Amino acid sequence: MATFAFRLALRSILHEKWINLLSILAIAASLLITALTVLSVYNVDVATQKLPERFSMMLYLKDKLSGGEVENIMNTLKKEHAVESVKYIPKDQALKELKTMLKGTDHVLEGLEENPLPDSIEIKLKKEAVGTETAQQLSTRLRETKGVDDVEYGEKFLFAISSIKTGVKTIGILFIMIMSASVIFVCYSTVKILFYRKKEEIETYKLLGATKGFIRAPFIIEGAFIGLSGGLLSLLGILLVYYIVIFRLSHTIPIFNALIFPANISFLLPPIGLSLGIAGAAIAIGRIRY
Amino acid sequence: MATFAFRLALRSILHEKWINLLSILAIAASLLITALTVLSVYNVDVATQKLPERFSMMLYLKDKLSGGEVENIMNTLKKEHAVESVKYIPKDQALKELKTMLKGTDHVLEGLEENPLPDSIEIKLKKEAVGTETAQQLSTRLRETKGVDDVEYGEKFLFAISSIKTGVKTIGILFIMIMSASVIFVCYSTVKILFYRKKEEIETYKLLGATKGFIRAPFIIEGAFIGLSGGLLSLLGILLVYYIVIFRLSHTIPIFNALIFPANISFLLPPIGLSLGIAGAAIAIGRIRY
Amino acid sequence: MINFENVSKHYDTQTALRNITFSIEKGEMAFITGLSGSGKTTLLKLIYLSEKPDEGTISIDSRELNTLKESEIPLLRRKIGFVFQDFRLLNNRNVFENIALALRIRGINDKDVKTRVFDALKTVNLRHKADYYPDTLSGGEQQRVVIARAIVSEPTVLLADEPTGNVDPDTSAGIMRTFKNINATGTTIIIATHNRELFRDTGRRVLKLDNGNLVSEERG
Amino acid sequence: MINFENVSKHYDTQTALRNITFSIEKGEMAFITGLSGSGKTTLLKLIYLSEKPDEGTISIDSRELNTLKESEIPLLRRKIGFVFQDFRLLNNRNVFENIALALRIRGINDKDVKTRVFDALKTVNLRHKADYYPDTLSGGEQQRVVIARAIVSEPTVLLADEPTGNVDPDTSAGIMRTFKNINATGTTIIIATHNRELFRDTGRRVLKLDNGNLVSEERG
Ligand SMILES: Nc1ncnc2c1ncn2[C@@H]1O[C@H](COP(=O)(O)OP(=O)(O)OP(=O)(O)O)[C@@H](O)[C@H]1O
Ligand SMILES: Nc1ncnc2c1ncn2[C@@H]1O[C@H](COP(=O)(O)OP(=O)(O)OP(=O)(O)O)[C@@H](O)[C@H]1O
Ligand SMILES: [Mg+2]
Ligand SMILES: [Mg+2]
């Protein structure tokens, strides 16, 4: 009886190859788009996670502070929640750095008799604090601190990056939700249509005395086949995209080199397709009544 | 007869509301995603199109060139393909600008007796040349030119931006193609399924002596209805996204303020849906033979 | 009016009709009989152009059917009413709409459709079933709906394929009376049936098929 | 074996059966007759549990049908063969597979399926049509396929609804001979028909329905 169910399913798949092919393609496309969206969001996340490390908050100190006063400020800073680490930069070192920065044209500074730069403290913020309002508030607060001349913090730029991140994530999640829904939708409606098309056949089965399991089995198998095929096809698609992006495009467009492809996750596509196919079929068949 | 075709179509739409609703939703989703992709690509394009204007190539001239020599270099530059405009910046002006840039800390330069900066020429590149290899080659070539001391050109950064642009465009176009294909696919397969489901009915129509037009009309009307409804629904969707993004998200995530929504284009969605629906229906029905 | 000349029809491995020649006069009422599978339905289908002959020529009103353009086929069919052996009723439409379809196809207006459909329903004694769907009707009721659909358009030719297979003798007699009335108005009628009662003592022509051959032409 | 007690069945506006009481003995062969729409098919459907009675009780082998659990319905149906008036053949399967389906449902192995299907086909004289699809068969051939499907599973009860409506008298006689043979092996048979020839001079019981009422019980 089990083999007959398989034969029936195979028969239906071959016989209705057209609609099955369409469904498989639709599921493959939906899964592929979902996977690509997941990858995009993942990549944007990884990329922007690295960015903040390069930015720090600069504290310019008033002239001629005593070592104790500097120590004091450093200690206050260390107690701040948002602060990861602090580093004291004496003005001599700052000048050296400025000279390195202006390199070719460092004769600009050659005529200086006295170092015009202030001492400063470089503050590295905790990752999660970068670009947030907390950091902004911190910079305003520090500006008022005794002994501090000025605070430099690239708020706008950092805030923009953090916004992009949030934005991409929000849109991405929305997108993943829409696409996931559409995969389920395709599976469901495919089986529903197949089931609907076989309404008369099912009616005859019931009339001849077939049990519910006997009627359901071929549809479940067919749904599983469609889902699995769609999953396999989307895996093929993502490997193709992977190939094109990594081996082709990255030669001409170097930024693609930075993309990360979690290949293991891609291999989840076939089982996901399979499960969705079976679930869709089961839902679509629904309850069989005599 | 025309009214009967409409009645038949209406009947079919009401009778098969389930499958019709599914199709409308699928088409709406596809159109919405296509539209959102178009918007995304458009926005990235607009955003990156503005960027290059801020960047220019700087040519630092050797000390004490004659007016004629400078003139000479300027003329050579103007003949270059990639060059949009050139501007001579005498060292005095450059110093003034440097002072403005360093503002708060401009006492750095106060001790200078003599302007240490070189004369320079600011080259604005043509938009399409920014970040390309041509520009890079140009900068190398200019470095060798008589009278030129050094060339400054933020190759890497600009190259990265140009890469992102190309990348987003490529992916976007790929995406639009996939989604457009899927809209046509949904329209086509919906009508095909509807048509397939009515195979027997059509057979009976033919046997009773109906003309081809009589048989086709209700399907075309139904396809048009599905396509138009899908289009209207996607328009609704995009207006909703518009509302959420502009009126809600942009408060908390300011970068969304920079987004451009070409509303007029959105209103093309219903007619596009309509055309696709009719086209899909016509293709799906195909040739009717007696 | 209807002429068959050396007509043969083969399906893949099966010969359904072999070298058939006969003619039916305008206004005649003739019967085709024969065992199950002898080719009765095939013969009617050839007249209706829902099958095409492999050999020979068929003409209606002196018009050879194989010279018909595809666009003329629906026009031919509108002149003919067909009582299909397998009914071909649409289960998603009620009885009224099933019968009305034959008129709507001809572009007849709603008012006329209504009166004519109800007239046809009365003829087959099913006026009270107008709002029912075919799959809720008994076998005999369905068959009568098919007859009503065939006669509602007042065709010049009526082809009836086993029109009484699912009805009791009384109903059957009623249907034959209806056919005779229609015939009396000038309609040419061909009835395929295995039911000898239908043509017994009618004095009409009876063509007998046997395994695709026309074996005899008698009077009933 | 089959008992009806005060059974009534109403469809929306239509009363199909009214207060029917009768019983059929094990191994009996009985006929149900009546005009078109009198309730014959409905009566058979009630036995098969494809319709449920609105009043009264039906029992088979002393088992009341309304006490059956849903999962027992397929098991009941496997004991019964049904010759459907509307055939219910699957057009996407050939004749062999259509008949085989009745056995596959019962989990019978391929080898047995083959021999038994071909035996059944021989019984109805359609061995040569095994590979054909139902829609390429003549009306009478289709009807015989349905009969083959009903008898192939060797049911203990056989319900035949108008089993000879589409066949010629000779074929009809052949089918009745087959039924008699099956009946002789102990199978209970109920035949619904409007064809008086079938029960004339058989000495079998004939239940006559009129407009949903059981009006007479005679011997044919
Ligand atoms: N489409 C088809 N393909 C193959 N064979 C066919 C097709 N249609 C009919 N036949 C065969 O042609 C023969 C004649 O069929 P036809 O339907 O004309 O018989 P009939 O005289 O109407 O029989 P019945 O009284 O049983 O309706 C039959 O053997 C049938 O199986
Ligand atoms: N599902 C249904 N819904 C509504 N009415 C129905 C349904 N099934 C049958 N009927 C009605 O019940 C009555 C009896 O139908 P049934 O099919 O039992 O008649 P029958 O005796 O088999 O007639 P026939 O000889 O024409 O097959 C008919 O008037 C029919 O229209
Ligand atoms: Mg026939
Ligand atoms: Mg009946």
Side-chain angles (χ1 to χ4, degrees), chain C residues 116-135:
Chain C
R116 287 172 69 173
V117 170
F118 281 129
D119 280 352
L121 276 172
K122 261 176 241 160
T123 309
V124 296
N125 268 325
L126 282 177
R127 176 67 186 78
H128 58 298
K129 293 283 184 186
D131 295 333
Y132 281 60
Y133 284 79
D135 53 7

Side-chain angles (χ1 to χ4, degrees), chain C residues 41 85 161, chain D residues 138-139:
Chain C
T41 300
Q85 189 173 14
D161 196 359
Chain D
S138 81

Side-chain angles (χ1 to χ4, degrees), chain A residues 4 11 201 206-207 209, chain D residues 48 77-78 92-93 104:
Chain A
F4 185 63
R11 228 188 137 279
E201 196 167 330
K206 286 197 272 183
L207 279 179
Chain D
Y48 204 59
R77 290 189 183 160
R78 291 189 196 176
N92 57 1
R93 258 151 244 245
R104 304 222 193 267

